[in-house]
């Protein structure tokens, strides 16, 4: 029934537009009552993303059972679950991507879903690098930074594939993005005097020269491995080296910075709305 409702909703969104489609329209198309719709979806927005709850659950289960010897590789592999979810139905994924770009409310909803993936990955890393772990005093910060890097890389590769209309191999774009993330951590390890991490030969975490890494995900994306990072990459405080050397990310001198101030506990969607209002449409 969940799948029937999602299909009916998406067909109507494409035919009439998201804003002009009501829940009554959806249940009439599906041939069920309103109560059935709200049993499966709290809102119309949830019907656009019917597979993310399952994907989040699968990611959580994967991380709970994964070998903790390579936490960075593990979260990259977890993000690849999101990529596989998108790649399993290219036509639907591309149509949803285009619809999301057209409806501001769906973009905000999507960002909240991405944040949930990122929090799931960061939560796993905090268990390894947090207080009492290998990350020293700033282990929690490192967990957040690594999770954000993996998600950003996964989403970059995934969106390249979606913008192409679902042509080609989505894993290739995500592998390339994750290889760049891994390069940053390899360079950081070299500058810190730590041994360079090796990719897991034949596995999802291997780098060029071995198997492809592997998500930014999907993830949730994805989902993929940026290569293992040994404990020595995370030296204890008080003077940990910067994990992001300046060379991989040159900053433009004429770039703009936007600062958003919000009360603690402000819903993420409202913060995103403030950011969108400041930067305008992409």
């Amino acid at each position: 029934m969940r799948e029937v409702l999602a299909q009916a909703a998406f067909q109507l969104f494409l035919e009439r537009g998201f804003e002009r489609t009501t829940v009554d329209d959806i249940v009439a198309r599906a041939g069920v009552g309103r109560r059935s719709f709200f049993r499966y979806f709290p809102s119309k927005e949830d019907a656009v993303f019917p597979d993310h709850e399952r994907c989040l659950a699968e990611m959580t289960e994967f991380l709970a059972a994964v070998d903790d010897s390579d936490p960075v590789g593990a979260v990259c592999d977890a993000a690849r679950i999101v990529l596989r979810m998108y790649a399993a139905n290219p036509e639907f994924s591309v149509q949803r991507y285009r619809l999301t770009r057209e409806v501001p409310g769906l973009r905000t909803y999507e960002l909240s879903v991405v944040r949930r993936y990122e929090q799931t990955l960061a939560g796993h890393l905090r268990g390894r690098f947090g207080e009492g772990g290998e990350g020293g005093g700033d282990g929690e910060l490192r967990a957040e930074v690594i999770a954000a890097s993996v998600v950003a890389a996964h989403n970059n590769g995934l969106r390249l594939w979606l913008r192409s209309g679902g042509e080609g191999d989505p894993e290739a774009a995500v592998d390339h993005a994750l290889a760049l993330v891994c390069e940053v951590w390899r360079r950081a390890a070299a500058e810190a005097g730590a041994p360079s991490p090796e990719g897991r030969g034949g596995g999802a975490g291997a780098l060029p020269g071995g198997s492809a890494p592997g998500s930014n995900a999907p993830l949730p994306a994805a989902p993929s491995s940026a290569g293992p990072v040994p404990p020595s990459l995370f030296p204890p405080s008080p003077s940990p080296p910067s994990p992001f050397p300046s060379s991989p990310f040159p900053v433009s001198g004429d770039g703009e910075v936007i600062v958003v101030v919000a009360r603690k506990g402000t819903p993420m969607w409202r913060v995103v709305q403030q950011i969108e209002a400041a930067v305008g449409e992409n």
Side-chain angles (χ1 to χ4, degrees):
M1 179 58 66
R2 181 183 179 87
E3 184 176 345
V4 168
L5 285 165
Q7 290 177 349
F10 203 77
Q11 288 170 359
L12 287 167
F13 296 153
L14 294 178
E15 293 171 10
R16 305 180 185 181
F18 179 80
E19 300 295 346
R20 296 180 61 186
T21 300
T22 67
V23 172
D24 288 333
D25 295 331
I26 296 171
V27 297
R29 175 68 65 89
V32 299
R34 285 175 59 89
R35 188 172 299 177
S36 294
F37 179 88
F38 290 110
R39 185 179 298 124
Y40 294 97
F41 301 111
S43 67
K44 286 196 305 179
E45 287 80 2
D46 290 280
V48 180
F49 303 94
D51 37 17
H52 282 298
E53 288 299 327
R54 174 192 57 77
C55 201
L56 275 163
E58 185 178 347
M59 176 183 287
T60 302
E61 182 180 357
F62 172 83
L63 289 172
V66 75
D67 179 4
D68 233 7
S69 63
D70 176 19
V72 177
V75 294
C76 289
D77 288 337
R80 200 179 180 94
I81 295 172
V82 183
L83 174 65
R84 291 198 296 267
M85 180 261 290
Y86 276 87
N89 193 340
E91 182 179 0
F92 174 76
S93 297
V94 170
Q95 288 178 335
R96 176 168 60 186
Y97 175 76
R98 292 170 178 168
L99 179 65
T100 303
R101 303 280 68 76
E102 296 171 359
V103 182
L106 291 180
R107 289 203 301 274
T108 301
Y109 184 95
E110 184 183 46
L111 287 172
S112 71
V113 174
V114 170
R115 178 56 181 161
R116 291 178 65 191
Y117 283 121
E118 186 175 312
Q119 288 176 324
T120 299
L121 301 181
H124 177 78
L125 292 169
R126 277 195 297 271
R128 179 65 179 272
F129 303 129
E131 184 176 354
E134 298 172 0
D138 58 355
E140 184 168 350
L141 172 61
R142 294 175 185 274
E144 293 284 349
V145 171
I146 295 169
S149 301
V150 171
V151 169
H154 171 273
N155 288 350
N156 179 274
L158 174 62
R159 287 167 183 162
L160 284 174
W161 176 69
L162 291 171
R163 284 196 292 269
S164 75
E167 298 293 331
D169 179 10
E171 292 191 19
V174 171
D175 287 349
H176 175 71
L178 284 172
L180 295 180
V181 173
C182 189
E183 180 184 354
V184 171
W185 293 105
R186 280 175 175 267
R187 198 172 300 179
E191 290 184 358
S196 178
E198 297 294 330
R200 290 175 293 179
L207 292 169
S211 298
S215 255
N216 347 250
L219 78 46
S224 87
S225 173
V229 180
S232 55
L233 181 54
F234 301 97
S237 296
S239 301
S242 170
F244 297 109
S246 59
S247 55
F249 301 110
V251 179
S252 172
D254 58 357
E256 295 182 349
V257 176
I258 296 173
V259 178
V260 176
V261 180
R263 290 183 180 274
K264 184 177 180 180
T266 300
M268 180 60 67
W269 66 265
R270 188 173 294 278
V271 176
V272 173
Q273 279 187 337
Q274 294 178 350
I275 296 172
E276 287 187 335
V279 302
E281 288 291 328
N282 289 331

